[in-house]
Amino acid sequence: MKGILNKHYHNDKFRAGLLTMVFLFIIAADVLAQEPPPRPVQVTVSQNLGFGAFTAGISGGTVVIDVSGARTSTGDVILLNLGYAYYAAVFRIVGNTGTVVSILNGSDISLTGSNGGSMTLHIGTSSPVSPFVINTTPPNYTQLTVGATLTVGNVAANPPGAYSGSFYITFIQE
């Protein structure tokens, strides 16, 4: 009888050890699978939007800055090269790698002129296109470039001068 009890005791000890090993493996797997805590994206303006110098004729038109910073016009708007820079807006976005970010453009806004008049600004597309995935590791950043279209009236409605205003873009972390 004594031999049977020892054999039974040995089997229970083996089972307890096996259960402990399985339990420890599960705990280790949970620790290794934990992802980093979410980090709110941080956005800074690296470059403002600029349309450079231009003049409008009798009917007006548009000035377009695309995401590459190229400038074009429509209607009878004439682009001038007088040393005034033109460029797309550029933002630097820092967040966890793999974070999905969408952008929501604000409504069209009115730019007011230093000598009177106003022009309408419409925010255009972005590069990368929304939604996009942050593929950098902080403190490195993902660069987002945004273009826009400026609607210009005739020369009487938009006298020469500096036109300014603010536009809004909402960055949505998904």
Side-chain angles (χ1 to χ4, degrees):
M1 192 76 162
K2 188 174 182 181
I4 293 173
L5 288 176
N6 283 342
K7 189 175 183 182
H8 182 68
Y9 173 75
H10 177 68
N11 285 341
D12 287 343
K13 189 174 180 182
F14 175 75
R15 285 184 197 144
L18 181 62
L19 288 175
T20 302
M21 283 184 7
V22 169
F23 180 69
L24 289 176
F25 177 73
I26 291 171
I27 290 174
D30 287 342
V31 171
L32 295 175
Q34 183 177 0
E35 65 183 48
R39 169 193 293 245
V41 294
Q42 297 173 338
V43 180
T44 56
V45 177
S46 175
Q47 179 174 275
N48 288 316
L49 181 64
F51 289 91
F54 55 88
T55 187
I58 295 172
S59 61
T62 64
V63 179
V64 178
I65 302 290
D66 69 17
V67 293
S68 72
R71 180 174 72 153
T72 57
S73 66
T74 65
D76 66 359
V77 173
I78 300 168
L79 303 176
L80 305 173
N81 292 313
L82 301 175
Y84 295 99
Y86 53 89
Y87 30 76
V90 179
F91 301 91
R92 291 180 177 174
I93 303 168
V94 176
N96 284 344
T97 303
T99 301
V100 177
V101 177
S102 294
I103 62 170
L104 178 61
N105 293 343
S107 356
D108 291 354
I109 60 135
S110 181
L111 302 181
T112 55
S114 57
N115 295 320
S118 66
M119 298 181 198
T120 302
L121 175 71
H122 174 78
I123 301 302
T125 60
S126 67
S127 177
V129 176
S130 177
F132 60 93
V133 177
I134 294 177
N135 57 9
T136 55
T137 304
N140 297 319
Y141 59 86
T142 298
Q143 182 169 293
L144 177 78
T145 307
V146 178
T149 300
L150 184 63
T151 302
V152 182
N154 63 36
V155 74
N158 293 128
Y163 287 77
S164 62
S166 298
F167 64 89
Y168 297 93
I169 295 177
T170 303
F171 293 86
I172 303 165
Q173 177 177 335
E174 298 179 25

